[in-house]
Amino acid sequence: MNAERPPQLRFPGLWWQSTLVEGRTARFAVGGSGAGVLFLHGWGLGGSAYARPLEQLIRMGVRVYIPALPGFGGTASLPVEQRTLAGYARWVGRFADAIDLARPVTVVGHSFGGGVAIKAAHDLPDLAERLVLVNSIGGSAWTDGRGVLRALRERPLWDWGLHLQADLLLGRQLTRVLPVILRDAVPNMLRNPTAIREVAHIARTADLAPELATLAERRLPIFVVWSKRDTVIPEATSMSLQTALGDPHTITVPGGHTWLMDDPHAFGELITNVIGEPVTGPDATTARPAAQRSRTSRRPGPGPAPASADDTSSSRHRRTSRGEVFGP
């Protein structure tokens, strides 16, 4: 691995270091031991804003890799002609090569990172053992202020920004999440405003229905996570993503768009439960509807075991006909 470790830890459990991807600098963090998770971050961030939820994964027995995607967090921008979802996905594959990442791996993407994860899993079939889409872009629909269902590309940028602001100013998000995001996002905005603008356009116009349909045909295990109060990626957008997949395993959690930063323990429990799902081929777990899948398999790392189908009253998971509800 062509990487240099800095002289000290930037965050407990996560080592930030540098490598070269196609001759350009890439920053990334790695930490923990156990089952591998490749985490792809959201728009405007560089990875450090996710320190608390990722450190929770490390404490629960997971090895975490989090690259700062091109243009963010000190990672060099892609060449102009590669600044597309396909270009970001290709970079993820080259990054995995640069650090000798063992494949396949659980790929988790939040928001914009979810769109990159979808495209990477589609274009690089050997990359993902399972895919976890957390409040992800990639759906094609949006409901406007009058309740009219419209194409997501018609959603104005000011509406995205208005709802992101509202999400971050909601309740304890104001004191627990907003400062962390600002520490990560402001340097990116100052250092590379072009990347901020370009990625916003990519997220706004992304329609990954064809890629999602192909992944469903491959029967790649896919988990779609959405939070009840997310208006950045509203329910109509998440539902259109689910529709493209056919019958994915869906998990609904409390909170807004950045819920995983606000509740790292819930995020850690969710991801380790997902990793505990057996992957035994297209005719087993991934071929059955979500409501029929068993959550009783052993998962790596410490913490309470997932509840059985007959013990939902004490579990943080409650089943619905379409998937699961996580939390109250």
Side-chain angles (χ1 to χ4, degrees), residues 214-249:
T214 299
L215 292 174
E217 290 175 0
R218 293 181 193 165
R219 295 185 177 179
L220 176 71
I222 300 176
F223 299 78
V224 177
V225 183
W226 183 75
S227 49
K228 299 175 184 177
R229 297 202 307 270
D230 189 356
T231 56
V232 179
I233 303 294
E235 186 174 18
T237 304
S238 183
M239 288 297 296
S240 64
L241 186 152
Q242 295 173 39
T243 298
L245 283 169
D247 184 24
H249 192 146

Side-chain angles (χ1 to χ4, degrees), residues 181-199:
I181 287 181
L182 290 178
R183 282 197 298 270
D184 200 5
V186 170
N188 287 326
M189 293 177 182
L190 295 175
R191 181 169 47 224
N192 198 340
T194 299
I196 298 288
R197 183 177 64 254
E198 290 174 342
V199 168

Side-chain angles (χ1 to χ4, degrees), residues 53-251:
L54 296 181
E55 287 164 6
Q56 180 65 26
L57 283 183
I58 290 171
R59 285 190 288 270
M60 298 179 80
V62 175
R63 183 163 179 80
V64 176
Y65 303 85
I66 175 168
L69 293 172
F72 302 103
T75 295
S77 295
L78 292 172
V80 174
E81 67 277 7
Q82 296 179 25
R83 294 175 190 174
T84 62
L85 273 178
Y88 277 93
R90 178 179 177 275
W91 183 91
V92 169
R94 295 293 188 267
F95 165 77
D97 292 340
I99 66 168
D100 296 324
L101 178 65
R103 299 183 232 187
V105 67
T106 297
V107 181
V108 181
H110 177 238
S111 195
F112 172 71
V116 177
I118 293 167
K119 190 65 176 172
H122 175 271
D123 294 355
L124 307 167
D126 68 328
L127 177 66
E129 182 177 33
R130 60 179 65 81
L131 190 59
V132 187
L133 305 175
V134 182
N135 300 74
S136 176
I137 69 167
S140 59
W142 161 67
T143 303
D144 67 16
R146 296 172 297 174
V148 177
L149 193 65
R150 301 171 62 178
L152 187 62
R153 71 177 67 90
E154 298 177 14
R155 185 181 183 184
L157 283 174
W158 62 262
D159 189 80
W160 288 86
L162 184 66
H163 285 94
L164 178 59
Q165 176 181 318
D167 184 273
L168 294 174
L169 297 178
L170 181 67
R172 63 183 186 179
Q173 302 278 95
L174 181 62
T175 56
R176 296 188 64 174
V177 177
L178 181 60
V180 173
I181 287 181
L182 290 178
R183 282 197 298 270
D184 200 5
V186 170
N188 287 326
M189 293 177 182
L190 295 175
R191 181 169 47 224
N192 198 340
T194 299
I196 298 288
R197 183 177 64 254
E198 290 174 342
V199 168
H201 177 73
I202 292 172
R204 175 174 172 263
T205 57
D207 179 0
L208 294 170
E211 287 84 353
L212 290 165
T214 299
L215 292 174
E217 290 175 0
R218 293 181 193 165
R219 295 185 177 179
L220 176 71
I222 300 176
F223 299 78
V224 177
V225 183
W226 183 75
S227 49
K228 299 175 184 177
R229 297 202 307 270
D230 189 356
T231 56
V232 179
I233 303 294
E235 186 174 18
T237 304
S238 183
M239 288 297 296
S240 64
L241 186 152
Q242 295 173 39
T243 298
L245 283 169
D247 184 24
H249 192 146
T250 61
I251 303 171

